[in-house]
Amino acid sequence: VRDGGSGGGHGGGRHGDGDDGDALVVLRDVDKHFGALHVLRSINLTVGRGEVVVVIGPSGGGKSTLCRAINRLETIDSGEIFIDGRPLPAEGRELAALRADVGMVFQSFNLFAHKTVLENVTLGQVKVRKKDKKTADGRARQLLDRVGVASQADKYPAQLSGGQQQRVAIARALAMDPKVMLFDEPTSALDPEMINEVLEVMQQLARDGMTMVVVTHEMGFARSAANRVVFMADGRIVEQTSPDQFFSNPSSDRAKDFLSKIL
Ligand code: ADP
Ligand code: MG
């Protein structure tokens, strides 16, 4: 059994640690508490360039905190996090740039309610990436087309379905030309008939070579898109392995128990 401490470079058997040019996201011995609650326990995780890592596990296990730590929406108590070989900046302009490099898509779509769809996707390009408005508009329309909502460009988020809003949120993150995309249960708040349209956009992104960390309960997506499954429970990485191995023959009792409840 691979326990929490043994993740890191051994994860997919392909990637090394922070010194490896192929590693895009590296967490070393990351610990985090909320008061007395130990939510991340000695997390070691490496995500290689172009790799799709699906994080699954029971509620409360620390999956969202892990994502938020990678984007520095949460601070950590100890350990190190590197993005593309550089430690996470603490604040200021460098932090804004990091947030642009690490795109994040949440369960709740988090679009700017008082901006149009097009404005949602141009804003960061102008403010953070310093593009002129015309260039940003062009790029936004291209991305909206890519996620299948080009015809909604001039509407406001509330006029769109949940699935459309989530696809706009993906386009907005992509507009920053991120190095890695984090998805935290992106389909959990959607009506069932809208889940696939979002998963298909994510599948296509994966096929296009985007580096992705995806927290999801969509096991079909994990099976077909993941290079590696990371199983998290009680703040630890309990095991990380290929999807085939994980679904057919998980090594930990914790994962067996989890799978028996959801499959
Ligand atoms: P998951 O995403 O796997 O469900 P989370 O990372 O959201 O897990 O939460 C891990 C634990 O940390 C849970 O027990 C949760 O209640 C707690 N937690 C999350 N965010 C906070 C916070 N801001 N303050 C206090 N406790 C929190
Ligand atoms: Mg969560």
Side-chain angles (χ1 to χ4, degrees):
V1 176
R2 210 168 245 159
D3 65 21
S6 68
H10 308 292
R14 296 184 296 286
H15 304 293
D17 60 20
D19 304 326
D20 184 333
D22 243 14
L24 205 43
V25 179
V26 176
L27 285 83
R28 277 195 199 135
D29 296 324
V30 170
D31 271 85
K32 166 81 180 170
H33 295 76
F34 286 117
L37 195 63
H38 200 170
V39 284
L40 297 178
R41 297 170 185 252
S42 193
I43 298 290
N44 285 283
L45 178 68
T46 299
V47 182
R49 215 173 288 278
E51 197 179 16
V52 178
V53 171
V54 167
V55 181
I56 67 179
S59 180
K63 305 181 297 298
S64 292
T65 306
L66 176 75
C67 283
R68 292 169 59 80
I70 293 172
N71 210 357
R72 216 176 188 291
L73 294 169
E74 296 285 357
T75 56
I76 57 175
D77 300 338
S78 59
E80 296 170 297
I81 301 178
F82 299 89
I83 305 293
D84 209 4
R86 296 171 54 197
L88 282 195
E91 56 189 8
R93 197 173 297 170
E94 280 151 40
L95 182 56
L98 167 95
R99 294 241 171 89
D101 281 346
V102 182
M104 180 129 182
V105 175
F106 302 87
Q107 180 175 333
S108 51
F109 322 121
N110 291 49
L111 295 173
F112 305 119
H114 301 293
K115 307 252 178 230
T116 66
V117 163
L118 186 71
E119 287 164 351
N120 264 276
V121 184
T122 51
L123 201 64
Q125 297 186 68
V126 174
K127 285 204 166 173
V128 179
R129 293 304 198 198
K130 309 295 178 203
K131 291 190 202 168
D132 65 75
K133 185 153 182 323
K134 193 157 169 261
T135 308
D137 270 10
R139 173 81 170 133
R141 288 188 190 278
Q142 180 189 32
L143 286 166
L144 290 172
D145 188 45
R146 183 168 162 194
V147 301
V149 291
S151 62
Q152 313 296 318
D154 298 322
K155 292 190 181 163
Y156 287 86
Q159 298 173 281
L160 273 57
S161 73
Q164 289 173 325
Q165 288 186 53
Q166 196 59 306
R167 286 181 283 148
V168 174
I170 293 171
R172 185 177 62 174
L174 289 175
M176 307 304 280
D177 297 314
K179 292 177 176 171
V180 53
M181 287 279 286
L182 310 178
F183 294 85
D184 189 3
E185 299 200 28
T187 61
S188 294
L190 296 177
D191 292 333
E193 73 271 21
M194 291 167 191
I195 291 175
N196 276 339
E197 66 193 38
V198 172
L199 292 178
E200 273 161 26
V201 167
M202 293 167 61
Q203 286 273 11
Q204 188 58 51
L205 259 186
R207 279 195 290 269
D208 292 346
M210 177 60 73
T211 306
M212 295 162 63
V213 176
V214 183
V215 179
T216 186
H217 300 298
E218 294 295 330
M219 297 301 139
F221 177 85
R223 276 179 198 274
S224 61
N227 298 110
R228 180 154 42 107
V229 170
V230 168
F231 178 70
M232 254 190 110
D234 303 327
R236 293 181 201 282
I237 293 178
V238 179
E239 60 181 294
Q240 45 179 323
T241 184
S242 70
D244 275 357
Q245 173 78 19
F246 183 75
F247 290 111
S248 64
N249 191 19
S251 53
S252 64
D253 289 341
R254 199 80 172 80
K256 283 177 191 159
D257 181 54
F258 176 77
L259 286 171
S260 75
K261 284 176 180 146
I262 59 152
L263 292 180

